[in-house]
Coordinates of all heavy atoms in Angstrom, one line a residue:
M1 N 0.8 -1.1 0.0 CA 0.0 0.0 0.1 C 0.9 1.2 0.0 O 1.9 1.3 0.8 CB -0.9 0.0 1.2 CG -1.7 1.3 1.4 SD -2.8 1.3 2.8 CE -1.9 0.9 4.2
V2 N 0.6 2.2 -0.9 CA 1.2 3.5 -0.8 C 0.2 4.6 -0.6 O -0.9 4.6 -1.4 CB 2.0 3.7 -2.2 CG1 2.6 5.1 -2.2 CG2 3.1 2.6 -2.4
V3 N 0.4 5.5 0.4 CA -0.6 6.5 0.5 C 0.2 7.8 0.3 O 1.2 8.0 0.9 CB -1.1 6.5 2.1 CG1 -1.9 7.7 2.4 CG2 -1.8 5.2 2.4
M4 N -0.3 8.5 -0.5 CA 0.3 9.9 -0.9 C -0.6 11.0 -0.4 O -2.0 10.8 -0.6 CB 0.5 9.9 -2.4 CG 1.6 8.9 -2.9 SD 1.8 9.1 -4.7 CE 2.9 10.5 -4.6
S5 N -0.1 11.9 0.3 CA -0.9 13.1 0.8 C -0.1 14.3 0.6 O 1.1 14.3 0.4 CB -1.2 12.9 2.1 OG -0.1 12.8 3.1
H6 N -0.8 15.4 0.8 CA -0.2 16.7 0.8 C 0.9 16.9 2.0 O 0.5 16.3 3.1 CB -1.2 17.8 0.9 CG -0.5 19.2 0.4 ND1 -0.2 20.1 1.4 CD2 -0.5 19.8 -0.8 CE1 0.4 21.1 0.8 NE2 0.2 21.0 -0.5
V7 N 2.0 17.5 1.8 CA 2.9 17.7 2.9 C 2.4 18.2 4.1 O 2.8 17.9 5.2 CB 4.1 18.5 2.3 CG1 3.8 19.9 2.1 CG2 5.4 18.4 3.3
T8 N 1.3 19.1 4.0 CA 0.7 19.7 5.3 C 0.1 18.6 6.1 O -0.3 18.9 7.3 CB -0.3 20.7 4.9 OG1 -1.3 20.2 4.0 CG2 0.4 21.9 4.2
A9 N -0.3 17.4 5.5 CA -0.9 16.3 6.3 C 0.1 15.5 7.0 O -0.1 14.6 7.9 CB -1.8 15.3 5.3
G10 N 1.4 15.7 6.7 CA 2.4 14.9 7.3 C 2.5 14.8 8.8 O 2.7 13.7 9.3
P11 N 2.4 15.9 9.5 CA 2.5 15.9 10.9 C 1.4 15.0 11.6 O 1.8 14.2 12.5 CB 2.2 17.4 11.4 CG 2.8 18.1 10.2 CD 2.4 17.3 9.0
D12 N 0.2 14.8 11.0 CA -0.9 14.0 11.5 C -0.4 12.5 11.3 O -0.6 11.6 12.2 CB -2.1 14.2 10.8 CG -3.2 13.4 11.4 OD1 -3.3 13.4 12.8 OD2 -4.0 12.8 10.8
F13 N 0.2 12.2 10.1 CA 0.6 10.9 9.9 C 1.9 10.4 10.8 O 2.0 9.3 11.1 CB 0.9 10.6 8.4 CG -0.3 10.5 7.5 CD1 -0.7 11.7 6.7 CD2 -1.1 9.4 7.6 CE1 -1.8 11.6 5.9 CE2 -2.3 9.3 6.7 CZ -2.7 10.4 5.9
C14 N 2.8 11.3 10.9 CA 4.0 11.0 11.6 C 4.0 11.2 13.1 O 4.9 10.7 13.7 CB 5.1 12.0 11.0 SG 5.5 11.6 9.3
A15 N 3.1 11.8 13.6 CA 3.0 12.2 15.1 C 3.1 10.9 15.8 O 2.5 9.8 15.5 CB 1.8 12.9 15.4
P16 N 3.9 10.8 16.9 CA 4.6 11.9 17.5 C 6.0 12.2 16.8 O 6.8 12.9 17.4 CB 4.7 11.5 19.0 CG 4.9 10.0 18.9 CD 3.9 9.6 17.8
G17 N 6.4 11.4 15.8 CA 7.6 11.7 15.0 C 7.4 13.0 14.3 O 6.4 13.7 14.3
A18 N 8.4 13.6 13.7 CA 8.5 14.8 13.0 C 8.7 14.6 11.6 O 9.4 13.7 11.1 CB 9.6 15.8 13.6
V19 N 8.1 15.4 10.7 CA 8.3 15.5 9.3 C 9.6 16.3 9.1 O 9.7 17.4 9.5 CB 7.1 16.2 8.6 CG1 7.5 16.3 7.1 CG2 5.8 15.4 8.8
A20 N 10.6 15.7 8.4 CA 11.9 16.3 8.1 C 11.7 17.5 7.1 O 10.8 17.3 6.2 CB 12.9 15.3 7.5
P21 N 12.3 18.6 7.2 CA 12.2 19.6 6.2 C 12.8 19.1 4.9 O 13.6 18.1 4.9 CB 13.2 20.8 6.7 CG 13.3 20.4 8.2 CD 13.1 19.0 8.4
R22 N 12.4 19.6 3.7 CA 12.9 19.1 2.4 C 14.4 19.1 2.5 O 15.0 20.1 3.0 CB 12.4 20.0 1.4 CG 12.7 19.6 -0.1 CD 11.9 20.4 -1.0 NE 10.5 20.1 -0.8 CZ 9.5 20.4 -1.7 NH1 9.9 20.6 -2.9 NH2 8.3 20.2 -1.4
G23 N 15.0 18.1 2.0 CA 16.5 18.0 1.9 C 17.1 17.6 3.1 O 18.3 17.6 3.3
E24 N 16.3 17.4 4.3 CA 17.0 17.2 5.5 C 16.4 15.9 6.3 O 16.1 15.8 7.4 CB 16.7 18.4 6.5 CG 17.4 19.5 6.1 CD 17.3 20.7 7.1 OE1 17.2 20.4 8.3 OE2 17.4 21.9 6.7
G25 N 16.4 14.8 5.5 CA 16.0 13.5 6.1 C 14.9 12.9 5.4 O 14.3 13.4 4.4
A26 N 14.4 11.8 5.9 CA 13.3 10.9 5.4 C 12.0 11.8 5.5 O 11.7 12.4 6.5 CB 13.2 9.6 6.0
R27 N 11.2 11.6 4.6 CA 9.8 12.3 4.6 C 8.8 11.3 4.3 O 7.7 11.6 3.7 CB 9.8 13.4 3.6 CG 10.7 14.5 4.0 CD 10.9 15.6 2.8 NE 9.7 16.1 2.3 CZ 9.2 17.4 2.5 NH1 9.7 18.1 3.4 NH2 8.1 17.6 2.0
V28 N 8.9 10.0 4.7 CA 7.9 9.0 4.4 C 7.7 8.2 5.8 O 8.6 8.2 6.6 CB 8.5 8.0 3.4 CG1 8.7 8.7 2.0 CG2 9.7 7.2 3.8
V29 N 6.6 7.6 5.8 CA 6.2 6.6 6.8 C 6.0 5.3 6.0 O 5.2 5.3 5.1 CB 5.0 7.0 7.6 CG1 4.4 5.9 8.5 CG2 5.3 8.3 8.3
L30 N 6.6 4.3 6.5 CA 6.5 2.9 5.8 C 5.4 2.1 6.4 O 5.5 1.8 7.5 CB 7.8 2.2 5.8 CG 9.0 3.0 5.2 CD1 10.4 2.5 5.6 CD2 8.8 3.1 3.8
P31 N 4.4 1.9 5.7 CA 3.2 1.0 6.4 C 3.5 -0.5 6.2 O 4.1 -0.9 5.2 CB 2.1 1.4 5.6 CG 2.5 1.8 4.1 CD 3.9 2.3 4.5
A32 N 3.1 -1.2 7.2 CA 3.1 -2.6 7.1 C 1.8 -3.2 7.7 O 1.4 -2.9 8.9 CB 4.3 -3.2 8.0
A33 N 1.0 -3.9 6.9 CA -0.3 -4.5 7.4 C 0.1 -5.7 8.2 O 1.0 -6.6 7.9 CB -1.1 -4.9 6.2
V34 N -0.7 -5.8 9.3 CA -0.6 -6.9 10.3 C -2.0 -7.3 10.6 O -2.9 -6.6 10.3 CB 0.2 -6.5 11.5 CG1 1.6 -6.1 11.4 CG2 -0.6 -5.3 12.3
E35 N -2.0 -8.6 11.1 CA -3.3 -9.1 11.5 C -3.9 -8.5 12.6 O -5.1 -8.1 12.7 CB -3.2 -10.7 11.8 CG -4.4 -11.3 12.2 CD -5.1 -12.1 10.9 OE1 -4.4 -12.2 9.9 OE2 -6.2 -12.5 11.0
N36 N -3.1 -8.2 13.6 CA -3.6 -7.5 14.9 C -2.6 -6.5 15.4 O -1.5 -7.0 15.8 CB -3.9 -8.6 15.9 CG -4.5 -8.1 17.2 OD1 -3.9 -7.2 17.9 ND2 -5.6 -8.6 17.5
V37 N -2.8 -5.3 15.4 CA -1.9 -4.2 15.9 C -1.5 -4.5 17.3 O -0.3 -4.3 17.6 CB -2.4 -2.8 15.6 CG1 -1.6 -1.8 16.2 CG2 -2.5 -2.6 14.1
D38 N -2.4 -4.7 18.1 CA -2.0 -4.9 19.6 C -1.1 -6.0 19.8 O -0.2 -5.9 20.6 CB -3.3 -5.0 20.4 CG -4.2 -3.7 20.2 OD1 -3.7 -2.8 20.9 OD2 -5.2 -3.7 19.5
E39 N -1.4 -7.2 19.1 CA -0.4 -8.3 19.3 C 0.9 -8.1 18.6 O 1.9 -8.4 19.3 CB -1.0 -9.6 18.6 CG -2.2 -10.1 19.3 CD -2.9 -11.3 18.6 OE1 -2.3 -11.7 17.5 OE2 -3.9 -11.7 19.1
A40 N 1.0 -7.3 17.5 CA 2.2 -6.9 17.0 C 3.1 -6.0 17.9 O 4.2 -6.1 18.1 CB 2.0 -6.3 15.6
C41 N 2.3 -5.1 18.5 CA 3.0 -4.2 19.5 C 3.6 -5.0 20.7 O 4.6 -4.6 21.3 CB 2.1 -3.1 19.9 SG 1.7 -1.9 18.7
A42 N 2.7 -6.1 21.1 CA 3.3 -6.7 22.3 C 4.5 -7.5 21.8 O 5.5 -7.6 22.6 CB 2.1 -7.8 22.7
E43 N 4.6 -8.0 20.6 CA 5.8 -8.7 20.0 C 6.9 -7.7 20.1 O 8.1 -8.0 20.4 CB 5.6 -9.4 18.8 CG 6.7 -10.1 18.2 CD 7.2 -11.4 19.0 OE1 6.6 -11.7 20.1 OE2 8.3 -11.9 18.8
L44 N 6.7 -6.5 19.5 CA 7.8 -5.5 19.5 C 8.2 -5.2 20.8 O 9.5 -5.1 21.1 CB 7.2 -4.2 18.8 CG 6.9 -4.4 17.2 CD1 6.2 -3.1 16.7 CD2 8.3 -4.5 16.5
A45 N 7.4 -5.1 21.8 CA 7.8 -4.8 23.2 C 8.7 -5.9 23.7 O 9.7 -5.6 24.4 CB 6.6 -4.5 24.0
R46 N 8.2 -7.1 23.4 CA 9.0 -8.2 23.8 C 10.4 -8.3 23.3 O 11.3 -8.7 24.0 CB 8.3 -9.6 23.5 CG 8.9 -10.8 24.1 CD 8.3 -12.1 23.5 NE 8.6 -12.4 22.1 CZ 9.8 -12.8 21.8 NH1 10.8 -13.0 22.6 NH2 10.0 -13.1 20.5
L47 N 10.5 -7.8 22.1 CA 11.9 -7.7 21.5 C 12.7 -6.4 21.9 O 13.8 -6.2 21.3 CB 11.7 -7.7 19.9 CG 11.1 -9.1 19.3 CD1 10.7 -8.9 17.9 CD2 12.1 -10.1 19.6
G48 N 12.1 -5.6 22.6 CA 12.7 -4.3 23.1 C 12.6 -3.2 22.1 O 13.5 -2.2 22.2
V49 N 11.6 -3.2 21.3 CA 11.5 -2.1 20.3 C 10.5 -1.2 20.9 O 9.3 -1.5 21.1 CB 11.0 -2.6 18.9 CG1 10.7 -1.5 18.0 CG2 11.9 -3.7 18.4
P50 N 10.9 0.1 21.1 CA 10.0 1.1 21.7 C 9.1 1.6 20.6 O 9.5 1.8 19.4 CB 11.0 2.2 22.2 CG 12.2 2.1 21.5 CD 12.4 0.6 21.1
L51 N 7.9 1.8 21.1 CA 6.9 2.5 20.1 C 6.9 4.0 20.1 O 7.3 4.6 21.2 CB 5.5 2.1 20.5 CG 5.2 0.5 20.4 CD1 3.8 0.3 20.9 CD2 5.4 0.0 19.0
L52 N 6.7 4.6 19.0 CA 6.6 6.1 19.0 C 5.2 6.4 19.5 O 5.1 7.5 20.1 CB 6.6 6.5 17.5 CG 7.9 6.7 16.9 CD1 7.7 7.3 15.5 CD2 8.7 7.8 17.6
D53 N 4.2 5.7 19.3 CA 2.9 5.9 19.9 C 2.2 4.6 20.1 O 2.4 3.6 19.5 CB 2.0 6.8 18.9 CG 1.9 6.2 17.5 OD1 2.5 5.2 17.2 OD2 1.0 6.7 16.8
E54 N 1.3 4.7 21.0 CA 0.4 3.4 21.4 C -0.6 3.1 20.2 O -1.0 4.1 19.5 CB -0.3 3.7 22.7 CG 0.6 3.9 23.9 CD 1.6 2.6 24.1 OE1 0.9 1.4 24.1 OE2 2.6 2.7 24.5
P55 N -1.1 1.9 20.2 CA -2.1 1.6 19.2 C -3.3 2.6 19.3 O -3.7 2.9 20.5 CB -2.5 0.2 19.5 CG -1.3 -0.4 20.1 CD -0.8 0.7 21.0
R56 N -3.7 2.9 18.2 CA -5.0 3.9 18.3 C -5.9 3.7 17.0 O -5.4 3.2 15.9 CB -4.5 5.3 18.3 CG -3.6 5.8 17.0 CD -3.1 7.2 17.2 NE -2.0 7.4 16.2 CZ -1.9 8.7 15.7 NH1 -2.4 9.7 16.2 NH2 -0.8 8.7 14.8
D57 N -7.1 4.0 17.0 CA -8.0 3.8 15.9 C -8.1 5.2 15.2 O -8.1 6.2 15.9 CB -9.5 3.5 16.5 CG -9.6 2.2 17.1 OD1 -8.6 1.4 17.0 OD2 -10.5 1.9 17.9
R58 N -8.0 5.1 13.9 CA -8.0 6.4 13.1 C -9.4 6.4 12.4 O -10.1 5.4 12.2 CB -7.0 6.2 12.0 CG -5.6 5.9 12.5 CD -5.1 7.2 13.3 NE -4.9 8.3 12.4 CZ -3.9 9.2 12.6 NH1 -3.1 9.1 13.6 NH2 -3.9 10.0 11.7
P59 N -9.9 7.6 12.1 CA -11.2 7.8 11.6 C -11.4 7.2 10.2 O -12.5 7.0 9.8 CB -11.3 9.4 11.4 CG -10.0 10.0 12.0 CD -9.2 8.9 12.4
W60 N -10.2 6.8 9.6 CA -10.5 6.3 8.2 C -10.6 4.7 8.2 O -10.4 4.1 7.2 CB -9.5 6.8 7.2 CG -8.1 6.8 7.7 CD1 -7.2 5.7 7.7 CD2 -7.4 7.8 8.3 NE1 -5.9 6.1 8.2 CE2 -6.1 7.4 8.6 CE3 -7.7 9.2 8.7 CZ2 -5.1 8.2 9.2 CZ3 -6.8 9.9 9.4 CH2 -5.5 9.4 9.6
G61 N -10.7 4.1 9.4 CA -11.0 2.8 9.5 C -9.8 1.8 9.7 O -10.0 0.6 9.5
I62 N -8.8 2.3 10.3 CA -7.6 1.5 10.6 C -7.2 1.7 12.1 O -7.6 2.7 12.7 CB -6.4 1.7 9.8 CG1 -5.9 3.1 9.9 CG2 -6.8 1.5 8.2 CD1 -4.5 3.3 9.3
R63 N -6.6 0.7 12.6 CA -5.9 0.7 13.9 C -4.5 0.7 13.6 O -3.9 -0.1 12.8 CB -6.3 -0.4 14.7 CG -5.8 -0.4 16.2 CD -6.5 -1.3 17.2 NE -6.0 -1.2 18.6 CZ -6.2 -0.2 19.4 NH1 -6.9 0.8 19.1 NH2 -5.7 -0.3 20.6
C64 N -3.7 1.6 14.2 CA -2.3 1.7 13.8 C -1.4 2.0 15.2 O -1.8 2.5 16.2 CB -2.0 2.7 12.9 SG -2.5 4.3 13.3
A65 N -0.1 1.9 15.0 CA 1.0 2.2 15.9 C 2.3 2.4 15.1 O 2.2 1.9 14.0 CB 1.1 1.3 17.0
S66 N 3.2 3.0 15.6 CA 4.4 3.2 14.9 C 5.7 3.0 15.7 O 5.6 3.2 16.9 CB 4.4 4.6 14.1 OG 4.3 5.6 15.0
F67 N 6.8 2.8 15.0 CA 8.1 2.7 15.7 C 9.1 3.1 14.7 O 8.9 3.3 13.5 CB 8.4 1.2 16.2 CG 8.4 0.2 15.1 CD1 9.6 -0.2 14.5 CD2 7.2 -0.4 14.5 CE1 9.7 -1.2 13.5 CE2 7.3 -1.3 13.5 CZ 8.5 -1.6 13.0
V68 N 10.4 3.3 15.2 CA 11.6 3.7 14.3 C 12.5 2.5 14.2 O 12.9 1.9 15.3 CB 12.2 5.0 14.9 CG1 13.4 5.4 14.1 CG2 11.2 6.1 15.0
D69 N 12.9 2.3 13.0 CA 13.8 1.1 12.8 C 15.3 1.7 13.1 O 15.4 2.8 13.3 CB 13.7 0.5 11.6 CG 14.2 1.3 10.2 OD1 14.8 2.3 10.5 OD2 13.8 1.0 9.2
P70 N 16.3 0.8 13.3 CA 17.6 1.2 13.6 C 18.2 2.2 12.6 O 19.1 3.0 12.9 CB 18.5 -0.1 13.5 CG 17.4 -1.2 13.8 CD 16.2 -0.7 13.2
A71 N 17.7 2.3 11.4 CA 18.2 3.3 10.3 C 17.6 4.6 10.4 O 17.8 5.5 9.8 CB 18.1 2.7 9.0
G72 N 16.4 4.7 11.4 CA 15.7 6.0 11.5 C 14.5 6.1 10.8 O 13.9 7.1 10.8
H73 N 14.1 5.1 10.0 CA 12.8 5.1 9.3 C 11.7 4.8 10.3 O 11.7 4.0 11.1 CB 12.8 4.1 8.3 CG 13.9 4.3 7.2 ND1 15.1 3.5 7.2 CD2 14.1 5.2 6.2 CE1 15.9 3.9 6.3 NE2 15.3 4.9 5.7
I74 N 10.5 5.6 10.0 CA 9.3 5.4 10.7 C 8.5 4.3 10.1 O 8.2 4.4 8.9 CB 8.5 6.7 10.9 CG1 9.3 7.8 11.7 CG2 7.1 6.3 11.5 CD1 8.6 9.2 11.8
W75 N 8.1 3.3 10.8 CA 7.2 2.3 10.3 C 5.9 2.3 11.1 O 5.8 2.6 12.3 CB 7.8 0.8 10.6 CG 9.0 0.5 9.7 CD1 10.2 0.9 9.9 CD2 8.8 -0.3 8.4 NE1 11.0 0.4 8.8 CE2 10.2 -0.3 7.9 CE3 7.9 -0.8 7.8 CZ2 10.5 -0.8 6.8 CZ3 8.1 -1.4 6.6 CH2 9.4 -1.5 6.1
E76 N 4.7 2.2 10.4 CA 3.4 2.2 10.9 C 2.9 0.8 10.6 O 2.8 0.4 9.5 CB 2.5 3.3 10.2 CG 1.1 3.3 10.8 CD 0.3 4.3 10.2 OE1 0.1 4.4 8.9 OE2 -0.2 5.2 10.9
I77 N 2.6 0.2 11.7 CA 1.9 -1.1 11.6 C 0.3 -0.8 11.7 O -0.1 -0.1 12.5 CB 2.2 -2.1 12.6 CG1 2.3 -1.6 14.0 CG2 3.8 -2.7 12.2 CD1 2.5 -2.6 15.2
V78 N -0.3 -1.5 10.7 CA -1.8 -1.1 10.5 C -2.6 -2.4 10.3 O -2.1 -3.4 9.8 CB -2.1 -0.3 9.4 CG1 -1.4 1.1 9.5 CG2 -1.7 -0.8 8.1
S79 N -3.9 -2.3 10.9 CA -4.8 -3.4 10.6 C -6.3 -2.7 10.4 O -6.5 -1.6 10.9 CB -4.9 -4.5 11.6 OG -5.2 -4.0 12.9
D80 N -7.1 -3.4 9.6 CA -8.4 -2.8 9.5 C -9.2 -2.9 10.7 O -9.1 -3.9 11.5 CB -9.2 -3.6 8.3 CG -8.6 -3.2 7.0 OD1 -8.1 -2.1 6.7 OD2 -8.6 -4.2 6.2
L81 N -10.1 -2.0 11.1 CA -11.0 -2.0 12.1 C -12.2 -2.8 11.7 O -12.6 -2.8 10.6 CB -11.5 -0.6 12.5 CG -10.5 0.3 13.2 CD1 -11.1 1.7 13.4 CD2 -10.1 -0.3 14.6
D82 N -12.5 -3.7 12.5 CA -13.7 -4.7 12.1 C -14.9 -4.3 12.8 O -15.0 -3.8 13.9 CB -13.4 -6.2 12.5 CG -12.2 -6.6 11.5 OD1 -12.2 -6.2 10.4 OD2 -11.5 -7.5 12.1

């Protein structure tokens, strides 16, 4: 899945991470679909991976949470709300 939005929407997608100014770092969030966001977050915690934000429901019908990989990229794990 690739989601493209206007740069002004970036802060909402990246929060609590920050959108890098043009030419100064990554300006993407990498999505990864999972079966269950809460279970995936529990596994990340077990592996010692800190979350940027706790799982939350979004108005467009997904549940998501995010973390930063060792290279500094923001990953958002997502699942559909049922």
Side-chain angles (χ1 to χ4, degrees):
M1 170 177 54
V2 175
V3 177
M4 298 181 75
S5 63
H6 192 273
V7 68
T8 58
D12 186 46
F13 285 105
C14 292
V19 177
R22 187 172 297 209
E24 295 185 26
R27 293 168 52 102
V28 299
V29 173
L30 303 166
V34 297
E35 182 95 12
N36 183 301
V37 169
D38 296 282
E39 289 176 6
C41 288
E43 179 65 10
L44 289 168
R46 188 186 72 73
L47 295 170
V49 177
L51 297 176
L52 278 177
D53 57 346
E54 295 297 318
R56 59 185 168 152
D57 295 343
R58 301 297 287 219
W60 47 88
I62 65 168
R63 185 161 178 78
C64 63
S66 56
F67 64 95
V68 177
D69 71 17
H73 301 102
I74 296 174
W75 286 86
E76 180 180 58
I77 51 176
V78 300
S79 62
D80 291 330
L81 289 173
D82 292 328

